[in-house]
Amino acid sequence: MINQALQHWRVGESSLGVWSNLPDIHLAETLARMGFDWICFDLQHGLMDYSDLTRLLPAICGQPLTPLVRVAANQSDQIGKVLDAGAHGVIVPMVNTADDARRAAAACRYPPAGNRSCGPLRDAMIEGFNYLATANEQIACIAMIETEEGLANVEAIAATTGIDALFVGPMDLCYGLGLPPGDFDSPPFRAAIERILKATGDAGIATGMFGYTAQMANSALEGGFDFASAGTDISFFRSGAQQALAIASGDNENNPSEAVY
Ligand code: 3PY
Ligand code: MG
């Protein structure tokens, strides 16, 4: 197994992904053909569950993008199950300490590097034993920094063996810093981002940003991030429908409302 997104980040190539919140195999298939480098199915906030995931992952199989899954919590059973279903990386929310980071990384790797239990059903169907030979090197473990405590420990989290990237959850980070949600241009938020980028730079790992808009994703890449999500299925649907309504009705004043998911 080759994790294309991880390969890009390892050689310093930036990459854009797309976020999937709706459990629809045709939407997922459509997004997978758009040219993004990775797709993330969201089991934390997305309107989908594990049985949806077992249909969504096969629906995009064969498309040239890396399937990632955000798990609902930093639990080894959840991480193992999504990897067994065919995710090639996990995004783990609310990683607050180096110990949290160690637990997430261990759940992603077979012994001796970690404690993942062996039963990779989906990938073994396709690749057989080759999956076991490559999984530890190719599975991406991505830790989210999105709390005050996570930021306080960001250097230790970034330096944890087995963490391939940090991923900023900007809205939760605002809450964690006592800022209004969406206050991404404020000095404390900017300072937090600089600290996270320094920590990942020193550790030699990649940094990602959840982009609420395409502009936000673009600014993140321009500002030194290695990867960002450019939007969600719901946000694309909403802005496309708003734009169609505005153009068709000749309403040039109608600006799309700001996306929150
Ligand atoms: C955040 O903004 O906190 C996120 O986790 C985005 O989903
Ligand atoms: Mg969050």
Side-chain angles (χ1 to χ4, degrees):
M1 187 247 295
I2 300 279
N3 184 332
Q4 174 189 282
L6 193 53
Q7 303 298 325
H8 288 149
W9 307 338
R10 281 181 177 154
V11 298
E13 285 171 12
S14 62
S15 101
L16 284 168
V18 62
W19 208 264
S20 170
N21 281 323
L22 297 174
D24 186 279
I25 57 171
H26 301 103
L27 260 184
E29 195 179 25
T30 305
L31 290 175
R33 289 164 180 267
M34 293 283 160
F36 291 105
D37 191 39
W38 50 274
I39 184 168
C40 182
F41 297 108
D42 192 352
L43 294 190
Q44 185 191 22
H45 295 301
L47 304 177
M48 59 176 70
D49 59 22
Y50 185 76
S51 76
D52 296 316
L53 189 67
T54 63
R55 293 169 181 79
L56 292 163
L57 287 166
I60 62 154
C61 194
Q63 300 301 330
L65 83 176
T66 299
L68 305 176
V69 172
R70 175 160 72 174
V71 288
N74 185 6
Q75 288 178 204
S76 60
D77 56 344
Q78 287 194 28
I79 293 173
K81 272 184 85 69
V82 306
L83 295 178
D84 290 347
H88 289 173
V90 287
I91 297 183
V92 183
M94 303 280 175
V95 174
N96 293 330
T97 64
D99 193 53
D100 287 350
R102 268 190 293 278
R103 283 190 295 111
C108 290
R109 309 270 150 52
Y110 294 116
N115 55 25
R116 181 177 172 193
S117 172
C118 190
L121 292 190
R122 169 105 187 108
D123 280 293
M125 276 185 223
I126 296 164
E127 282 199 60
F129 265 91
N130 184 52
Y131 177 78
L132 297 181
T134 52
N136 276 10
E137 174 67 12
Q138 295 297 324
I139 293 293
C141 182
I142 302 158
M144 287 193 75
I145 302 296
E146 50 181 354
T147 63
E148 190 181 25
E149 189 184 10
L151 182 64
N153 293 317
V154 69
E155 292 79 13
I157 293 169
T160 301
T161 304
I163 296 294
D164 297 292
L166 300 188
F167 190 69
V168 176
M171 216 60 107
D172 277 317
L173 188 56
C174 282
Y175 281 116
L177 297 175
L179 300 169
D183 202 8
F184 304 140
D185 288 327
S186 64
F189 190 86
R190 295 304 322 157
I193 294 301
E194 288 314 313
R195 182 168 173 182
I196 294 166
L197 285 169
K198 167 101 175 56
T200 48
D202 289 350
I205 62 170
T207 331
M209 168 67 85
F210 183 95
Y212 279 92
T213 60
Q215 292 74 12
M216 190 172 167
N218 182 259
S219 313
L221 296 190
E222 297 276 313
F225 279 77
D226 302 288
F227 62 107
S229 52
T232 67
D233 43 12
I234 299 173
S235 71
F236 296 150
F237 188 79
R238 185 197 297 110
S239 61
Q242 283 175 331
Q243 199 185 25
L245 184 61
I247 293 171
S249 60
D251 177 4
N252 297 324
E253 302 301 309
N254 187 334
N255 294 316
S257 62
E258 211 161 286
V260 178
Y261 284 90

